[in-house]
């Protein structure tokens, strides 16, 4: 059985490819730039663009890991099913679980459910890798972190944990019709996260406390799309417009990861050690 991995060079996708290859599966990794990608030996690397779904090499594909590129995701699903795919694992979002994603991942989940395949939705919370983009440049430059509220809690999930659940759902029976919410381990304050990164790189990090507007301007200057940055700093909603109301939000640790893998989530300290090179100056 050939498994097509879209978004194969992504934070999660690259670990999905590796996990499938290590399990001995026949993997086809899709990227727009095969020359610039490095994958394990034995992986078939193909050129494909989610903006040109008709050109995606779907011949012989029985299972699909779907990175959601919103404009074309439903076409990709239709084409994959027509080509013979029987199982689709969607990299979705915990925002669907919590009800504030109604226009991005949710319609794709619905399309996959309606397509008649065996489906599994993987719904992660906030990726720990966001910290590389948000905090990496200033940590590398001078050990500082620009943030509007260092005592704010967050709950971050390691991309390898997300990938492991996707790999299980692609390879094993028993996951059809399931939506797994992956919260990551217990909540931490931003200061606790900074301490873990500092420990990993052997450097004490300090916060530059700014207003939310100043943080927004800073993150946009670092290349974040404005809408994503507005959401991140609490100035905008997940789907744009006004900020969502998270005042009743309760941080819990969802049991789904342990139920699938048989072990607890990787900690943020572990994630920081895995990514020390991304923060070292
Ligand atoms: N960040 C978070 O906190 C968070 C939380 C929950 C859910 N999510 C969801 O998780 C997903 C992001 O996953 P990720 O971080 O693993 O992805 P990623 O690192 O952003 O990588 C996605 C990959 O997809 C490929 N890609 C992007 N646009 C493409 C296009 N038009 N055609 C073909 N390929 C394209 C790129 O590969 P090539 O350049 O090699 O083609 C890229 O490496 C998103 O759907 C996001 O909404 C994110």
């Amino acid at each position: 059985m050939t498994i097509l991995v879209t978004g194969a060079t992504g934070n999660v996708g690259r670990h999905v490819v590796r996990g499938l290859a290590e399990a001995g599966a026949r993997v086809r990794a899709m990227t727009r730039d095969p020359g610039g990608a490095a994958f394990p030996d034995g992986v078939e690397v193909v050129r494909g663009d989610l903006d040109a779904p008709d050109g995606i090499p779907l011949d012989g594909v029985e299972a699909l890991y779907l990175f959601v590129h919103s404009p074309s995701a439903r076409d990709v699903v239709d084409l994959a099913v027509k080509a013979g795919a029987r199982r689709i694992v969607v990299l979705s979002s915990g925002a669907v679980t919590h009800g504030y994603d109604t226009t991005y991942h949710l319609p794709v989940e619905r399309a996959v459910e309606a397509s008649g395949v065996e489906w599994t939705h993987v719904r992660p919370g906030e990726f720990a890798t966001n910290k590389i983009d948000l905090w990496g440049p200033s940590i590398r430059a001078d050990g500082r972190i620009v943030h509007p509220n260092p005592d704010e809690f967050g709950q971050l999930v390691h991309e390898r944990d997300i990938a492991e659940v996707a790999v299980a759902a692609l390879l094993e029976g028993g996951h059809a019709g399931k939506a797994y919410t992956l919260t990551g381990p217990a909540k931490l304050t931003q200061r606790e996260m900074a301490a873990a990164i500092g420990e990993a790189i052997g450097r004490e990090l300090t916060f530059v406390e700014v207003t939310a507007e100043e943080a927004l301007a800073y993150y946009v200057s670092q290349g974040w799309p404005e809408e994503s940055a507005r959401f991140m700093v609490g100035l905008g909603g997940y789907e744009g417009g006004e900020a969502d109301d998270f005042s009743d939000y309760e941080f819990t640790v969802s049991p789904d990861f342990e139920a699938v893998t048989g072990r607890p989530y990787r900690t943020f300290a572990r994630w920081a050690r895995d990514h020390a090179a991304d923060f070292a100056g």
Side-chain angles (χ1 to χ4, degrees):
M1 138 165 131
T2 295
I3 303 172
L4 177 68
V5 178
T6 58
T9 59
N11 294 307
V12 180
R14 76 186 69 151
H15 294 292
V16 173
V17 170
R18 198 176 42 78
L20 291 170
E22 283 173 4
R26 193 181 305 160
V27 196
R28 183 177 295 169
M30 188 177 102
T31 168
R32 290 167 295 184
D33 178 19
F39 291 108
D41 289 346
V43 170
E44 178 191 3
V45 183
V46 294
R47 184 187 304 278
D49 188 339
L50 293 168
D51 281 320
D54 288 329
I56 294 176
L58 286 161
D59 53 293
V61 168
E62 287 169 61
L64 171 69
Y65 165 83
L66 183 63
F67 163 81
V68 171
H69 178 57
S70 189
S72 66
R74 277 172 277 189
D75 292 339
V76 176
V77 171
D78 288 347
L79 288 165
V81 173
K82 280 194 192 108
R86 302 307 314 144
R87 181 175 285 184
I88 299 181
V89 173
V90 182
L91 176 59
S92 181
S93 171
V96 176
T97 309
H98 297 295
Y100 55 91
D101 177 330
T102 59
T103 58
Y104 194 81
H105 297 93
L106 179 65
V108 180
E109 288 194 2
R110 295 257 166 88
V112 172
E113 290 166 21
S115 73
V117 296
E118 290 182 6
W119 57 264
T120 307
H121 307 323
V122 178
R123 296 176 175 169
E126 188 178 348
F127 291 9
T129 51
N130 292 348
K131 290 295 187 222
I132 298 172
D133 298 326
L134 289 168
W135 291 0
S138 64
I139 289 179
R140 289 192 297 273
D142 56 13
R144 297 195 301 168
I145 294 169
V146 178
H147 199 280
N149 182 4
D151 295 311
E152 177 185 62
F153 282 109
Q155 193 174 19
L156 304 183
V157 59
H158 196 308
E159 64 280 5
R160 290 181 61 185
D161 286 346
I162 304 166
E164 274 177 29
V165 172
V167 167
L170 286 161
L171 293 179
E172 300 168 358
H175 301 292
K178 303 271 179 67
Y180 294 125
T181 297
L182 306 181
T183 55
K187 67 181 178 182
L188 294 174
T189 64
Q190 306 299 314
R191 286 188 205 283
E192 289 168 328
M193 295 176 203
I197 295 170
E199 175 83 26
I201 62 174
R203 184 175 188 182
E204 195 167 333
L205 306 178
T206 54
F207 276 91
V208 184
E209 287 190 54
V210 294
T211 64
E213 285 78 9
E214 287 165 339
L216 171 64
Y218 170 76
Y219 293 148
V220 169
S221 78
Q222 297 300 312
W224 272 76
E226 177 155 357
E227 192 171 300
S228 307
R230 293 187 78 80
F231 173 68
M232 289 284 205
V233 300
L235 289 175
Y238 178 85
E239 298 185 321
E242 295 295 302
D244 303 299
D245 180 6
F246 290 114
S247 53
D248 289 340
Y249 188 84
E250 283 184 36
F251 290 95
T252 56
V253 178
S254 112
D256 294 355
F257 178 75
E258 200 157 344
V260 173
T261 66
R263 59 169 186 76
Y265 287 105
R266 291 172 170 87
T267 63
F268 185 77
R270 164 70 190 273
W271 180 86
R273 287 194 297 276
D274 289 347
H275 287 276
D278 292 311
F279 294 102

